[in-house]
């Protein structure tokens, strides 16, 4: 996900919010973990060292931003990639959480 936003991967799990672009990339990563890999908010929160309510908020922010057609297409492609990865690993998630 960090690559999609031109960021270092470590920024996604940084304990601080960071720059707006980094914060949004983290929100998208949390959203994809939930939508693309069907992980719970609690599981995602532990992986990102965030509270489950933060993950829930991130998912709402990303979902609300899907009104932008270009972003919606980009997210749809990323969701498809997550689902294909997940299916290729016998239905279990291997996202390091």
């Amino acid at each position: 996900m960090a690559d999609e936003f031109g960021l270092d991967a470590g920024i996604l799990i940084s304990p601080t919010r960071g720059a707006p672009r980094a914060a949004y990339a983290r929100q998208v990563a949390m959203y994809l973990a939930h939508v693309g890999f069907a992980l719970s908010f609690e599981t995602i929160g532990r992986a990102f060292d965030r509270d489950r309510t933060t993950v829930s908020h991130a998912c709402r922010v990303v979902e609300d931003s899907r009104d932008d057609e270009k972003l919606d297409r980009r997210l749809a492609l990323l969701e498809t990639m997550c689902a294909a990865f997940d299916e290729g690993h016998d239905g279990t998630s291997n996202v390091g959480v």
Side-chain angles (χ1 to χ4, degrees), residues 7-20:
L7 301 168
D8 178 63
I11 200 79
L12 296 181
I13 57 172
S14 172
T16 60
R17 185 176 188 280

Side-chain angles (χ1 to χ4, degrees), residues 11-93:
I11 200 79
L12 296 181
I13 57 172
S14 172
T16 60
R17 185 176 188 280
R21 193 169 95 192
Y24 187 69
R26 185 180 306 108
Q27 289 173 326
V28 170
M30 288 190 262
Y31 172 83
L32 290 172
H34 181 64
V35 173
F37 294 103
L39 297 176
S40 70
F41 290 160
E42 292 82 9
T43 299
I44 299 164
R46 284 192 304 271
F48 285 88
D49 197 23
R50 300 293 195 277
D51 187 82
R52 67 175 176 74
T53 59
T54 301
V55 178
S56 174
H57 173 74
C59 290
R60 282 192 310 274
V61 166
V62 174
E63 194 62 45
D64 289 347
S65 69
R66 293 193 77 154
D67 291 338
D68 178 307
E69 289 182 28
K70 184 177 177 183
L71 178 61
D72 184 58
R73 284 191 305 271
R74 187 175 180 191
L75 289 170
L77 176 61
L78 290 169
E79 287 175 23
T80 301
M81 292 169 64
C82 289
F85 179 83
D86 202 32
E87 288 173 9
H89 288 89
D90 67 10
T92 60
S93 178

